[in-house]
Amino acid sequence: MFHFTPLLGAQSESPASQSLLELDGGVKILVDIGWDEAFDARRLEAVENRVSTLSIILLTHATIEHLGAYAHCCKHIPLFIKIPVYATTPVINLGRTLLTDLYASSPLAASIIPLSSISGSPASDALPNLLFEAPTPDEIASYFALINPLKYSQPHQPIASPFSPSLGNLTVTAYGAGHTLGGAIWHIQHGMESIVYAADWNQGRENLLPGATLLSGGQEIIEPLQRPTALICSSKGVERGESLPRKDRDARLVSLIRETIAQGGKVLIPTDSSARMLELAFLLNETWRDGLGGPHADTYRTARLYMATKSAAASVRYLQSMLEWVEESVRAEAEAAMTKGKGQGNINNPMDWRFIKMLERESRVQQALARSKPCVLLASDATLEWGFARQAVQALASDPRNLVILTEKVATVDPMRKGMGKQLWEAWQTQTGLSSAASGAKIVNADGISVDFRETSTASLNADETALYETYAARQRQLHSTLQGDNTLVDPTATDVLDPQDEDESSDSDEEDEDAEHQGRALNLSVQLTQQSQKRNKAGAGALSDAELGVNVLLRSKSAVPSVHDYDVRGKRGREKVFPFVAHRQRGDEFGDAIKPEEYLRAEERDAIEGVDMRDGGAKQDGGTAAVGQKRKWGDAAGPKGRRGEKLQNGHGNKRARMEGGRARAPDDIDAAIARATGERRNGGGAPAATAAEEESDGDEESDYEPDDAVPAGPQKLVYDSRILELWFRVAHVDFSALHDLRALLMIVPLMRPRKLILISGEESETQRLAAEFRKLRDGQGIEANNNMEISTPR
């Protein structure tokens, strides 16, 4: 027997998906850790309350709906990072680029808690300020590096979390789900239980993405998925009607784009930032490649294609390294182009996206939209709640020639307000539109309709809010410390016993004795423990008694000669159960041991450095020059010879200065080099300024280099600015969601013959309609030898 609990996404308008499977023996599996564009941390309380009992986590798709809260949980929920996670390689790679783009684009995604809930006072308005603490790109990369990659059809016996009972003979296997690159249908085998978790799948193949691998050859389900104990299937999209064939769908999209750019307009296609965007970008790149030799060559030649996300280049780079996951014909063509292209004439490589321009900076997006020539912009996100798509809507709103193409139904994610994407979707549904002559698609003129537009920015905390945040942070640190068996935060004097890297490899506490009740207890004691720690800090380590030091008395006894040589660990918990040990290791990085630049200098380079003894690691220096391995500011004084080119910077000699006979580059030449590197034009002292025509034609050839955005120092809060935006562009819809429809479900599910059917991931009307269709099919004995199939619709 097993117990299924939908944590998010069952009969709900929110597209987020989180499901909990409880198997015999206390094995608990969390499938997906999705979120929605409201980014409300309070919707993750169900996961937080159960995290100390989870065994493993499975991820299905690299979308916000299926893994959007993964980085947030790793950063803010204790013990979550200790749970083994399993996913396919594309889900890991594209999920990383997705969340990197999300946190770089939307401060709301990094919000952790309302300030009003910390202070205990009710919110003054409907939009309370939220504390802001975003995971860094390095943290996101480290979180996704912990995920265990799996291949399709690879049975795997996972490893349980430290606080989980034995998994027994549990086996998980991923099968292709379509819809996204690397999307998975999970088969979970535990004893006699055979469970198939199929959320958001697509049986038909696409241009770049293969279809689901449910059928083997003809009309027969693959053997491992036949007759499961339970089939957990999503009901999303059953009300949208029958999907168009792939070629008709592609032709409709291309026709809408060609009509718009032929009239001098711009096209915005909001979509997700990794999974579905790759399919759209592949289709448009192939369309431009073929169109340049066709009857509409002039139209395609004047328009530009842009892919606008803050991780666009990384997504394309990952795609080019995952050819085994793409559609078979595309993979074969790409391999032929790479292996035989040089000797057999011109062979197009479908992975060479030469017509797609990557835009990863806000200034580049503004520059592309400001051009007078038409363009097509693929931008994140489909809900228009974050990403470059919001910026593009503001730039395109005033021109009725422009067109916004919605590729999927936009759900309501916040009950308090409708997002811009939802308002555009309702406008397209409710208003009477014109039919496109070439494509037959419905096009609605906005005609000045007003939509609510909310901008989100960050601001520093005031003194009172800072005090509240420090209290909250202390509680969270103590919660992490208590649940993970780490007493170093309770006793700050013990922080030198184990360094941060040693802590990761130290033995874990006995979490089998811990449950969700300890979280509340830790919160109640956190303030008291924090105050005691502060007092101990002021008193100093010498004021601590042997009892307060605990097991650290073996290393930090207050007496000059430690008189304690043993410590009773019976009945202790956490770090108190093991004797302290300091493992001194050589520091290094991901490439090996740390490199000292001074050890690799030649003899003449050592002679060129005056006042620095390289044998002592550059410890001696004269005249204020920077030591080896240290940064020197740009405006520092010249070296002993008065020439900037002969200075040693960051441990490396300036070879160009020596090659030019010691002639230093003049300051004007240095400024010119910087201008060339950054793509800036100087109007004085150099080449004449470019004309407006040259700016327009060469603007896309400038460098993408811009200084990195400054990371806010300390905690931040969110500030909202709501205003009304008038829209004059046109709106159309082409279904590119690539999800199963009602016809596919009524065909596939009877072939699988599950004993129990559980419907999730859909709105209430969608779930009830699909359940009624299956009951009708079951009662009419349309499901052979399974007319007693149980149908469940949990909330």
Side-chain angles (χ1 to χ4, degrees), residues 589-604:
D589 53 19
E590 61 269 22
F591 300 104
D593 294 339
I595 296 177
K596 297 180 180 180
E598 62 272 10
E599 296 179 353
Y600 297 90
L601 293 178
R602 295 192 297 269
E604 59 270 18

Side-chain angles (χ1 to χ4, degrees), residues 600-631:
Y600 297 90
L601 293 178
R602 295 192 297 269
E604 59 270 18
E605 291 177 325
R606 293 193 180 96
D607 297 338
I609 305 171
E610 299 181 4
V612 179
D613 188 357
M614 302 307 300
R615 292 170 296 181
D616 295 334
K620 301 177 182 179
Q621 50 185 331
D622 296 332
T625 57
V628 175
Q630 295 182 354
K631 270 190 174 181

Side-chain angles (χ1 to χ4, degrees), residues 747-760:
M747 180 188 69
I748 296 294
V749 173
L751 295 176
M752 297 182 69
R753 297 183 300 156
R755 295 183 176 90
K756 186 169 186 176
L757 176 64
I758 303 175
L759 301 179
I760 60 168

Side-chain angles (χ1 to χ4, degrees), residues 23-25 27 166-171 188-194:
L23 307 177
D24 293 337
V27 177
S166 174
L167 300 182
N169 57 350
L170 175 67
T171 303
I188 304 169
Q189 184 76 41
H190 186 258
M192 299 300 294
E193 300 288 348
S194 175

Side-chain angles (χ1 to χ4, degrees), residues 426-454:
E426 291 181 348
W428 180 83
Q429 278 190 313
T430 57
Q431 294 187 16
T432 303
L434 303 176
S435 178
S436 172
S439 64
K442 174 185 174 182
I443 301 178
V444 172
N445 295 320
D447 291 335
I449 64 172
S450 299
V451 297
D452 296 331
F453 190 79
R454 190 179 74 176

Side-chain angles (χ1 to χ4, degrees), residues 23-347:
L23 307 177
D24 293 337
V27 177
K28 296 184 179 181
I29 302 175
L30 178 65
V31 185
D32 287 335
I33 183 69
W35 222 356
D36 52 42
E37 275 70 11
F39 302 118
D40 189 353
R42 289 168 291 189
R43 297 186 183 180
L44 305 177
E45 291 179 355
V47 172
E48 185 174 4
N49 293 336
R50 295 169 172 83
V51 68
S52 60
T53 63
L54 295 179
S55 302
I56 62 172
I57 299 175
L58 303 177
L59 301 178
T60 57
H61 295 282
T63 60
I64 295 290
E65 293 82 4
H66 295 278
L67 55 74
Y70 175 68
H72 178 94
C73 293
C74 289
K75 185 176 181 67
H76 297 292
I77 297 181
L79 302 180
F80 188 89
I81 202 170
K82 293 181 177 291
I83 305 173
V85 186
Y86 296 89
T88 62
T89 300
V91 171
I92 298 173
N93 294 338
L94 298 181
R96 173 182 173 180
T97 61
L98 168 68
L99 294 190
T100 301
D101 180 32
L102 172 64
Y103 286 108
S105 304
S106 174
L108 183 61
S111 61
I112 52 178
I113 192 170
L115 287 170
S116 58
S117 65
I118 300 180
S119 61
S121 60
S124 58
D125 53 15
L127 298 174
N129 289 333
L130 301 173
L131 287 176
F132 171 81
E133 188 175 347
T136 64
D138 291 338
E139 288 177 336
I140 295 174
S142 65
Y143 298 151
F144 278 90
L146 299 174
I147 302 179
N148 301 281
L150 295 180
K151 296 182 179 180
Y152 284 155
S153 305
Q154 174 189 350
H156 181 77
Q157 292 186 338
I159 301 175
S161 62
F163 34 85
S164 167
S166 174
L167 300 182
N169 57 350
L170 175 67
T171 303
V172 296
T173 310
Y175 294 94
H179 180 57
T180 64
L181 191 67
I185 293 175
W186 288 102
H187 178 229
I188 304 169
Q189 184 76 41
H190 186 258
M192 299 300 294
E193 300 288 348
S194 175
I195 303 172
V196 177
Y197 190 95
D200 295 354
W201 52 272
N202 178 33
Q203 183 61 32
R205 69 179 183 89
E206 298 186 84
N207 298 283
L208 177 67
L209 308 180
T213 56
L214 293 172
L215 300 176
S216 59
Q219 298 294 322
E220 184 179 354
I221 299 295
I222 58 177
E223 184 177 356
L225 304 184
Q226 293 180 5
R227 193 67 174 164
T229 305
L231 170 62
I232 304 171
C233 182
S234 60
S235 60
K236 186 185 303 180
V238 298
E239 292 183 337
R240 73 178 190 270
E242 187 174 350
S243 301
L244 289 174
R246 175 173 59 90
K247 291 185 178 180
D248 295 342
R249 179 201 66 179
D250 297 347
R252 175 171 293 187
L253 178 70
V254 171
S255 297
L256 286 173
I257 293 175
R258 187 171 60 245
E259 289 178 2
T260 304
I261 61 179
Q263 298 172 4
K266 297 180 175 63
V267 180
L268 169 64
I269 305 178
T271 181
D272 69 79
S273 64
S274 59
R276 297 303 304 164
M277 179 177 285
L278 295 177
E279 169 69 20
L280 287 164
F282 178 85
L283 170 62
L284 294 180
N285 185 75
E286 292 294 306
T287 300
W288 252 248
R289 175 181 291 152
D290 298 338
L292 289 178
H296 304 285
D298 294 338
T299 302
Y300 290 116
R301 190 174 293 109
T302 57
R304 298 290 183 90
L305 290 177
Y306 297 111
M307 182 175 173
T309 71
K310 294 192 175 181
S311 57
S315 297
V316 175
R317 187 168 59 251
Y318 280 132
L319 173 64
Q320 294 172 346
S321 66
M322 299 184 298
L323 288 180
E324 68 273 18
W325 299 90
V326 303
E327 205 274 325
E328 185 176 357
S329 61
V330 176
R331 179 175 66 252
E333 188 177 353
E335 291 176 349
M338 290 184 291
T339 57
K340 302 179 182 179
K342 293 183 179 180
Q344 296 188 5
N346 295 326
I347 299 180

